[in-house]
Amino acid sequence: MRRALLIVILAALGCDREMASMMEGGPMDGGRPDVLVGMPDGMMPDFGPLDAEPPDVDPPDADPNALRVNHMQVRGTNNSYHTNTNPFDLEFRDYYHLPISEQAGEQGIRFFDFDLDPDRDAGLVLEPRVSDALDIETICGTWFTCLFELDLWMDENPQHALIVFFIAESYRFNTRPGLFFQLDDLERYAVDALGRERILSPADVRRDHPTLREAIRQRGWPAVEQTQGKVMLVLNDWAEARAHYLEHGGNDPDDRLLFLIGDPDQADDPDTGDEVVFSFEPEFDGDPWYFETDPTELDRMRELAAAGYLVHGVSDDPQMIADLQAAGAHFIATRYPDDVFGEIPPVGPVACNPVTRLDDCDPAEFEAVR
């Protein structure tokens, strides 16, 4: 019903090409389809409230020895929307990613990284942090169409392992006066494209504990079998967008759909009890080729993973990828997945995390994808 309603709305807007591509479940053909251009407020399909009751992700009788989310290790892409449109022939921008559905299916990607530019006319348009001129096109246009394409793949593979999205504000958040990061709209787009039942929220993990960290310590992450077919959304921002979300969009912790990224240097601060995901992505230091998690951070990454937190690292170097794997990174992102990850193993794209794994961990149990 949800897919049929979306297709009817897109068709009514004259989006025949994009609609046909979506119905086939195939790749978008690049550029900016902007299927929501000109859509007035209120025309977005509404499939129910954000706080609709989701299925119980961890019933009281769950096996305490079950495989859990933090026992996994998955491959990811950085700037997952990037296509090789490079008008200035800049070598460090010379890479591209497959359409979202092909990343998930052919490359086994279970971690996606998105930069979003809030645009009230065209939906949440994907933009790079560097400059519009450097990424004038993306592989799927708007946030909504990217998620809808993934939704079609999820329909065909309902037992996939948990998919994680890191979502960052566009660089223009700080340079466009009067434009607010509409994080409540971001949540609404995710619910409309995927369905609330497919989104793992902080409240699903927190349950009856006062903070997420307390829940992780006392109960642990949800069991893998209870999170198959779901998506986890993480706000990858420590500054303005985060403050805006906490003040305006996420002031009721029970209604939040976005997990908050944590600063590894403050992971022991008792006042940050709802931060259970930590990123070791390097700061841009003027060298566009420098894209490696600092190797001196590997020990800290291993400590946080062992403590039950989820950790993220990035690299384009095969040796560093191996070091991130050994350090227990749960999400390992790269710009060149075919070069550094290789073929999907016969048992699937998810590995047992070497730091947190159970003794009898079987990677084949993490998901069953056709």
Side-chain angles (χ1 to χ4, degrees), residues 177-360:
L179 182 61
F180 296 99
F181 200 126
Q182 301 293 334
L183 291 169
D184 53 343
D185 285 349
L186 186 152
E187 291 182 327
R188 174 67 66 188
Y189 276 63
V191 169
D192 289 346
L194 301 175
R196 172 61 184 89
E197 74 281 357
R198 280 179 164 171
I199 300 175
L200 180 72
S201 75
D204 297 334
V205 178
R206 187 185 302 106
R207 300 295 293 266
D208 55 353
H209 294 281
T211 68
L212 280 171
R213 291 191 184 181
E214 183 67 20
I216 296 305
R217 286 193 295 267
Q218 298 296 324
R219 188 185 185 94
W221 287 91
V224 164
E225 65 179 12
Q226 300 298 327
T227 59
Q228 288 176 334
K230 294 182 181 293
V231 166
M232 177 178 175
L233 307 173
V234 181
L235 180 60
N236 187 18
D237 182 273
W238 296 343
E240 288 87 350
R242 171 196 177 96
H244 180 80
Y245 183 58
L246 290 175
E247 181 176 356
H248 300 288
N251 51 347
D252 182 354
D254 291 336
D255 289 340
R256 293 177 192 161
L257 296 186
L258 305 182
F259 288 80
L260 300 176
I261 199 74
D263 182 346
D265 293 334
Q266 299 179 10
D268 302 321
D269 186 343
D271 294 329
T272 56
D274 266 354
E275 297 170 340
V276 292
V277 184
F278 295 89
S279 176
F280 290 82
E281 185 174 1
E283 295 288 336
F284 182 74
D285 64 355
D287 179 2
W289 273 116
Y290 180 73
F291 194 72
E292 305 290 325
T293 293
D294 188 338
T296 65
E297 299 278 13
L298 292 173
D299 287 341
R300 181 58 170 164
M301 178 180 290
R302 187 177 294 105
E303 292 173 357
L304 293 179
Y309 302 124
L310 301 182
V311 294
H312 160 249
V314 296
S315 178
D316 291 330
D317 176 68
Q319 179 56 55
M320 186 61 181
I321 293 287
D323 293 341
L324 291 171
Q325 292 171 330
H330 298 89
F331 322 123
I332 301 175
T334 182
R335 291 179 288 190
Y336 308 100
D338 285 336
D339 296 333
V340 300
F341 291 139
E343 296 291 329
I344 297 177
V347 297
V350 185
C352 295
N353 190 303
V355 172
T356 64
R357 61 177 293 158
L358 301 177
D359 290 340
D360 59 349

